[in-house]
Amino acid sequence: MKKLILIFILLISACLITKAQDSTDSDSTDMEIFLIDAYVKPEPPYIFILSFYTSKVCLSSVIIDGKYEYVVSNGLSEAHSAKIDITSLKFLEKNVNFVIETTDSLGNKTTSEEFEFDLPFEPVIKEGSSLWTLCLFAGSVFLLPMPGYVNANSNHYYSLSKEIPIISVRSRSGNYPSSYFSIEYTHIFEADNKNYARLGYKRIFPINLIEYISPGVTAYTNFYGQNGIAPEISIGWFNLFDTFTVYTRYRYNIKPGDSNSNFHEINLGLYTRLLSLYL
């Protein structure tokens, strides 16, 4: 009987120790953020008022619209507040997203869910240019086809392509989505098979010095039996007007079972997230 009682006590002790360890591990990594205020004063200068509490003491910063980062608390604290002048910042929409980043005393970093605030004014990109004007300009430039070079069985052709990102997957931070789905049309001058439609999936990895590297894959067809798959790699080089990214892309088009129909492509293009639906 004594042995059974001793075993029972040991089992209970082991369970309590495990539970305590799990609780400690959870406390060391979980960070809860309780948003109190997030609004912009209605009169100029336009000041963004932000205040929140955290479940543990930590350092904190806020990233506005994926590109403007400000320190909120530069010392360990549970109560955080900031007043940020956003008068000179450029926004594309009245509804602005932001995330909060924290670093606890052990160095664990956490990024919050995405929050929002509304601007008390219409976004103006630069003097004399409204959001509507920017959208017209962006739409006209974005719809321009991109030039390309095609090598098929040692034959050389020129092409025009237009890729449109239709669905993008949000990233936690940065100016680019983590990935996107696209549709695309290509016309190859003087080739036997001139017109192709494509459906693609691309990943985006932002890197220093340039903008990003983006591997991807597309399925293509000319609707007359020329069907295949094409792995690709794109390099985003630099931004234009904070809206477009100039990139180059290499793609190898493969028709299964018919290597003579395979061909290489090199393109110069413009990427923008303006016309994409975000998830």
Side-chain angles (χ1 to χ4, degrees), residues 43-180:
E43 69 282 343
Y46 298 111
I47 306 299
F48 175 43
I49 306 298
L50 175 65
S51 62
F52 58 93
Y53 285 92
T54 52
S55 57
K56 296 186 295 182
V57 295
C58 62
L59 311 175
S60 64
S61 61
V62 60
I63 300 175
I64 302 173
D65 201 29
K67 55 186 175 181
Y68 304 113
E69 183 170 0
Y70 296 90
V71 172
V72 177
S73 297
N74 56 11
L76 293 174
S77 177
E78 292 180 333
H80 311 262
S81 62
K83 296 181 179 180
I84 302 169
D85 188 348
I86 64 169
T87 306
S88 61
L89 303 187
K90 298 178 181 179
F91 301 105
L92 297 178
E93 301 176 2
K94 287 194 67 172
N95 186 260
V96 180
N97 299 322
F98 70 94
V99 295
I100 295 168
E101 292 190 344
T102 61
T103 305
D104 65 20
S105 58
L106 299 177
N108 297 312
K109 296 181 181 294
T110 303
T111 300
S112 74
E113 63 180 295
E114 202 168 71
F115 301 110
E116 297 178 344
F117 65 85
D118 293 327
L119 297 176
F121 57 87
E122 287 295 333
V124 176
I125 306 307
K126 59 183 178 180
E127 187 176 352
S129 176
S130 66
L131 177 62
W132 176 244
T133 303
L134 174 73
C135 288
L136 289 176
F137 170 76
S140 62
V141 174
F142 182 64
L143 292 175
L144 288 175
M146 52 189 181
Y149 164 77
V150 175
N151 184 301
N153 293 323
S154 299
N155 295 314
H156 309 285
Y157 307 101
Y158 294 102
S159 67
L160 290 176
S161 296
K162 183 66 255 171
E163 178 188 72
I164 300 178
I166 53 173
I167 299 176
S168 298
V169 180
R170 295 182 186 274
S171 62
R172 278 293 188 178
S173 60
N175 296 331
Y176 298 99
S178 62
S179 61
Y180 67 90

